[in-house]
Amino acid sequence: MDRSVVRKPKVMVVGLSKTGTSTLRTMLEMLGYRVCGPRKKLLPAVRAGDMAGVDELLDVYDAFEDWPWPLVYGHAHQRFGNDIRFVLTTRASPQKWFQSLVNHGRGSSPFRGMWATYGHYRPDGHEAAFKAIYERHNSDVRHYFAAHPGAMAEICLERGDGWNVLCPLVGAAVPAEPVPHSNKAGEKPRLVNRAINSVITPIYARLSG
């Protein structure tokens, strides 16, 4: 074994959806990471404390983003210690995040709600509850890693964060390419979904308000 080769740490993106997680995935892939994306089917088990399915994936992949990964940072850190790093992706404000989630929901299939992730079909009509989830999650992550300096960094793409934060965290050289911008709103117009949701979502918001 060549001891001069430094093994790169695993990386877990623990920001909630619509905080730039897709862009972080692309960035990590550009750095050579094998990224495991969303595995929402694991959410019920994770919330029940069963990490068997999570552990299987932790052993296979180098990096992780989207659900259920924002919920398992404590487990992953306890398991890998100094061999894993964490990225808390955030938006410039809770309002920016909420509006992005609303826009995402309006373009999504009417048959795909947010029950498993946020406990509601759509954010519409539940602004205070969704913002509370966002702020509480970010606070919990910051509080946990305050006792583990160097293990976690925050990235807010809207404020100009990018390679300058990610690369020092994982010990990688800064690529020549600029920070990509993946999954931007408007890249994939979903006119049919938006038309259907324009009818369904307000009805749901009134009934659940």
Side-chain angles (χ1 to χ4, degrees):
M1 177 179 178
D2 184 0
R3 296 184 180 276
S4 67
V5 176
V6 178
R7 184 178 62 181
K8 60 187 177 184
K10 291 179 181 286
V11 180
M12 184 171 288
V13 181
V14 296
L16 298 182
S17 52
K18 308 314 295 180
T19 59
T21 59
S22 295
T23 294
L24 260 292
R25 175 180 186 137
T26 303
M27 293 170 71
L28 289 165
E29 289 174 340
M30 290 170 67
L31 293 177
Y33 279 86
R34 296 170 300 159
V35 184
C36 179
R39 296 292 189 275
K40 293 181 183 179
K41 291 183 179 180
L42 292 175
L43 279 169
V46 167
R47 289 197 164 106
D50 180 1
M51 298 293 178
V54 163
D55 284 334
E56 290 180 6
L57 295 171
L58 288 175
D59 289 336
V60 174
Y61 290 90
D62 306 315
F64 313 85
E65 63 90 22
D66 213 317
W67 298 99
W69 311 114
L71 303 183
V72 301
Y73 58 87
H75 172 78
H77 182 247
Q78 291 172 20
R79 181 174 176 193
F80 292 103
N82 291 330
D83 293 329
I84 188 168
R85 298 290 184 270
F86 300 84
V87 178
L88 175 61
T89 47
T90 62
R91 298 297 297 264
S93 69
Q95 182 60 36
K96 288 266 190 180
W97 173 78
F98 178 75
Q99 191 57 54
S100 181
L101 203 64
V102 168
N103 292 338
H104 174 72
R106 290 174 180 173
S108 299
S109 167
F111 302 104
R112 295 178 60 188
M114 299 180 186
W115 296 106
T117 52
Y118 295 105
H120 293 281
Y121 172 65
R122 290 282 189 268
D124 305 70
H126 302 280
E127 182 171 351
F130 272 75
K131 286 182 177 178
I133 292 171
Y134 172 81
E135 293 180 307
R136 183 171 60 250
H137 174 75
N138 292 347
S139 177
D140 287 347
V141 173
R142 290 166 183 148
H143 177 76
Y144 178 89
F145 285 106
H148 307 284
M152 186 273 283
E154 290 191 38
I155 289 182
C156 179
L157 297 168
E158 291 170 319
R159 292 177 176 160
D161 297 335
W163 296 124
N164 61 313
V165 179
L166 179 61
C167 290
L169 179 70
V170 302
V174 175
E177 297 86 350
V179 172
H181 293 282
S182 302
N183 202 24
K184 290 190 297 185
E187 282 186 351
K188 299 178 180 179
R190 298 168 181 172
L191 299 180
V192 174
N193 288 343
R194 290 186 180 279
I196 297 173
N197 285 323
S198 69
V199 176
I200 294 177
T201 303
I203 295 173
Y204 163 77
R206 287 197 299 270
L207 293 176
S208 62

